[in-house]
């Protein structure tokens, strides 16, 4: 059991399942280097880098303190002077890979003049960037991130996303909802693609071989008349040339566009155009307001 009372996952695939206090110290630089005994060339950064590399190449189950000690050419106990265990290491790995798109892209997703950029472009870029990140690090899809320990990269990513979307004029919970919706869509499609690749690796059968083996049975089923809708579909229905990711993403953006227009119409009907504008004070309704001088008053 972790010091905070939570039970760590046996396979180390649940974020925030270790010593949360220690993870936070390491993420925010409060406990990066041990006071004694470290090998001079060993650093927390090197440990996290090695862990990510092993996970990328062989999957998260391959990441262990013993394996990392071999990769880094040091004793296993030396690693424990830097990080308590795999659960806390996972928190550091998550923040590391979540920060990669941030270092590769602009710090401020806005126009050249400093004004907010087009939120549609921002959502498109957000989705494609996240998909690329999941493809580079497929082990991310194997982690329960319901209770991620928030580090600098995670917070900075959220800050940039909110800045890019603020021109939508939505309420704060709705902006968070936009981010969750886009991320969930990307994760779902990336998981489907990842599962397909994993199935090929595990069975040795390509997608073409797998579906060809079912073809005789499916053809008889279509000719039986029991499935008229499917039997009437065009030959290119399941073509690999159709971009399901782009199709779904553009439909999401169109849906958000409808919501933005709805909110804009509501503000217009209410007499406001800027959702962030401060309300104009009503001096007539304020008994403490100073009276307005009357220039026509008798000055005797």
């Amino acid at each position: 059991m972790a010091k905070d009372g939570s039970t760590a996952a046996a396979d180390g695939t649940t974020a925030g399942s270790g010593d949360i206090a220690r993870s936070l110290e390491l993420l925010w630089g409060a406990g990066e280097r041990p006071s004694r005994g470290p090998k001079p060339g060993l650093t927390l950064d090197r440990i996290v880098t090695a862990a990510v590399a092993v996970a990328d190449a062989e999957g998260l189950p391959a990441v262990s303190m013993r394996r990392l000690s071999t990769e880094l050419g040091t004793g296993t106990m030396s690693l424990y002077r830097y990080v308590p265990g795999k659960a806390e290491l996972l928190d550091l790995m998550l923040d590391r890979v979540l920060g990669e798109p941030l270092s590769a892209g602009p710090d401020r997703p806005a126009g050249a003049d400093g004004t907010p950029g087009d939120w549609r472009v921002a959502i498109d870029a957000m989705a494609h960037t996240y998909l690329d990140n999941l493809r580079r690090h497929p082990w991310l899809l194997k982690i329960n991130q319901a209770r991620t320990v928030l580090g600098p990269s995670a917070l900075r990513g959220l800050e940039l996303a909110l800045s890019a979307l603020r021109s939508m004029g939505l309420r704060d919970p709705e902006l968070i909802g936009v981010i969750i919706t886009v991320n969930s869509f990307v994760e779902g499609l990336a998981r489907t693609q990842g599962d397909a690749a994993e199935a090929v690796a595990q069975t040795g059968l390509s997608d073409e071989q797998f579906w060809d083996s079912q073809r005789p049975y499916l053809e008889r089923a279509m000719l039986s008349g029991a499935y008229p809708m499917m039997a009437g579909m065009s030959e290119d229905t399941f073509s690999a040339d159709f971009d399901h990711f782009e199709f779904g993403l553009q439909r999401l953006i169109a849906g958000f566009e409808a919501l933005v227009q709805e909110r804009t119409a509501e503000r217009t009907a209410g007499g406001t155009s800027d959702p962030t504008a401060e309300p104009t004070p009503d001096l007539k309704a304020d008994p403490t307001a100073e009276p307005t001088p009357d220039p026509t008053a008798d000055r005797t």
Side-chain angles (χ1 to χ4, degrees):
M1 182 172 290
K3 292 181 180 179
D4 67 332
S6 64
T7 302
D11 59 357
T13 56
T14 300
S17 62
D19 186 339
I20 298 177
R22 185 64 178 137
S23 289
L24 288 169
E25 289 176 353
L26 294 170
L27 283 167
W28 292 96
E32 182 173 340
R33 187 177 179 83
S35 58
R36 57 178 180 155
K39 183 179 178 180
L42 191 62
T43 64
L44 183 61
D45 181 74
R46 284 192 63 207
I47 295 172
V48 176
T49 299
V52 170
V54 170
D56 289 348
E58 303 176 35
L60 199 60
V63 179
S64 67
M65 291 305 194
R66 184 181 298 275
R67 173 62 184 278
L68 293 179
S69 68
T70 300
E71 294 290 328
L72 295 168
T74 187
T76 303
M77 293 308 299
S78 296
L79 301 182
Y80 286 107
R81 302 177 195 273
Y82 287 85
V83 60
K86 185 173 179 178
E88 295 80 9
L89 178 60
L90 178 61
D91 294 332
L92 303 179
M93 293 168 64
L94 278 174
D95 201 63
R96 167 68 63 83
V97 299
L98 290 176
E100 288 177 354
L102 305 180
S103 60
D107 287 344
R108 179 171 48 83
D113 58 354
T115 58
D118 190 328
W119 60 263
R120 302 162 194 80
V121 175
I123 288 179
D124 187 274
M126 183 191 310
H128 282 90
T129 299
Y130 191 32
L131 181 62
D132 290 342
N133 207 19
L134 293 176
R135 286 172 172 169
R136 284 196 307 273
H137 310 292
W139 51 272
L140 282 171
L141 294 169
K142 307 294 185 180
I143 299 174
N144 181 345
Q145 297 188 51
R147 302 177 68 178
T148 302
V149 180
L150 298 178
S153 294
L155 286 187
R156 182 164 171 257
L158 182 57
E159 176 72 16
L160 290 175
L162 291 172
S163 297
L165 301 179
R166 69 185 186 275
S167 63
M168 297 178 76
L170 302 180
R171 297 186 300 112
D172 291 346
E174 292 174 333
L175 288 178
I176 296 298
V178 169
I179 296 173
I180 291 175
T181 300
V182 173
N183 285 353
S184 297
F185 164 72
V186 175
E187 288 172 7
L189 188 136
R191 182 170 285 106
T192 298
Q193 294 177 344
D195 288 347
E198 192 172 298
V200 172
Q202 290 177 348
T203 65
L205 289 176
S206 67
D207 285 340
E208 292 77 9
Q209 292 172 321
F210 176 77
W211 292 112
D212 282 345
S213 67
Q214 300 186 61
R215 186 181 300 278
Y217 298 90
L218 294 176
E219 288 179 346
R220 284 198 296 270
M222 294 303 103
L223 293 173
S224 70
Y227 310 97
M229 284 298 299
M230 296 189 64
M233 300 181 82
S234 63
E235 293 185 359
D236 65 344
T237 297
F238 299 102
S239 171
D241 295 332
F242 187 85
D243 192 339
H244 291 279
F245 177 78
E246 199 62 36
F247 174 81
L249 177 58
Q250 295 309 314
R251 302 295 73 74
L252 280 181
I253 293 176
F256 293 139
E257 177 73 60
L259 177 61
V260 168
Q261 292 177 356
E262 179 182 327
R263 292 291 180 268
T264 301
E266 290 173 355
R267 290 194 300 272
T268 301
T272 61
S273 58
D274 184 359
T276 63
E278 293 292 332
T280 303
D282 185 358
L283 295 179
K284 292 183 180 179
D286 184 358
T288 64
E290 293 292 332
T292 303
D294 183 358
T296 64
D298 185 9
R299 301 173 181 170
T300 57

